[in-house]
Amino acid sequence: MAEEGTPGFQIAPMIDVVFVIMLFFMVMAGAVKVEKELNIDLPGVENPDSPVDFVDEQIITISEEGEVALNDEVMDSPTSVLLPELTNSLVRLKKSTDAAKSPLVVTIISDTTAKYSRAIQIMDALAAAQVTSVTFTVSDDE
């Protein structure tokens, strides 16, 4: 009687099975459709109680001669102490930004040789209009 040996562990069929499974997953990976989310804002009614996200910045410039301009529009005369045109314009701007629930930011750009008293007069006009967000800078036109 011939002795039959035990065949042992066969690695070749296992490699074939692994390659077939790997081929199946590679083919199926290409068939998967990727869904993308489109972020869109649909038109609707804006809630007036929510604050508006834009900042309304106004630029006040002071020239060497004391001339005051709000957003490049000359206000009052260089000798005017009370600055009524500037004050009225700032009051209107403050009311409109308060109605829009947005902050009013004023930047004062002064010439380096302008008188300090002119900046104080502008600060008085800002206080009369109840504007609290004010920044200072000097012009670099040199």
Side-chain angles (χ1 to χ4, degrees), residues 83-141:
L83 301 170
E85 287 180 37
L86 178 65
T87 304
N88 291 336
S89 295
L90 289 172
V91 168
R92 282 194 313 272
L93 285 170
K94 179 66 174 165
K95 285 181 183 177
S96 66
T97 55
D98 286 346
K101 297 185 189 252
S102 66
L104 174 62
V105 176
V106 176
T107 301
I108 300 174
I109 302 174
S110 177
D111 189 79
T112 55
T113 57
K115 291 185 179 182
Y116 181 70
S117 62
R118 197 60 167 172
I120 296 297
Q121 293 165 357
I122 292 173
M123 291 297 294
D124 290 341
L126 289 166
Q130 298 178 347
V131 176
T132 57
S133 298
V134 180
T135 56
F136 289 93
T137 185
V138 293
S139 62
D140 53 354
D141 293 339

Side-chain angles (χ1 to χ4, degrees), residues 23-61:
L23 181 65
F24 172 76
F25 283 118
M26 286 173 47
V27 169
M28 291 308 294
V32 174
K33 292 184 180 181
V34 178
E35 294 183 18
K36 295 182 181 179
E37 181 178 334
L38 298 176
N39 293 328
I40 59 171
D41 293 328
L42 298 176
V45 178
E46 179 66 27
N47 186 1
D49 295 333
S50 65
V52 179
D53 292 336
F54 71 91
V55 175
D56 192 11
E57 181 180 13
Q58 305 298 319
I59 308 292
I60 298 176
T61 55

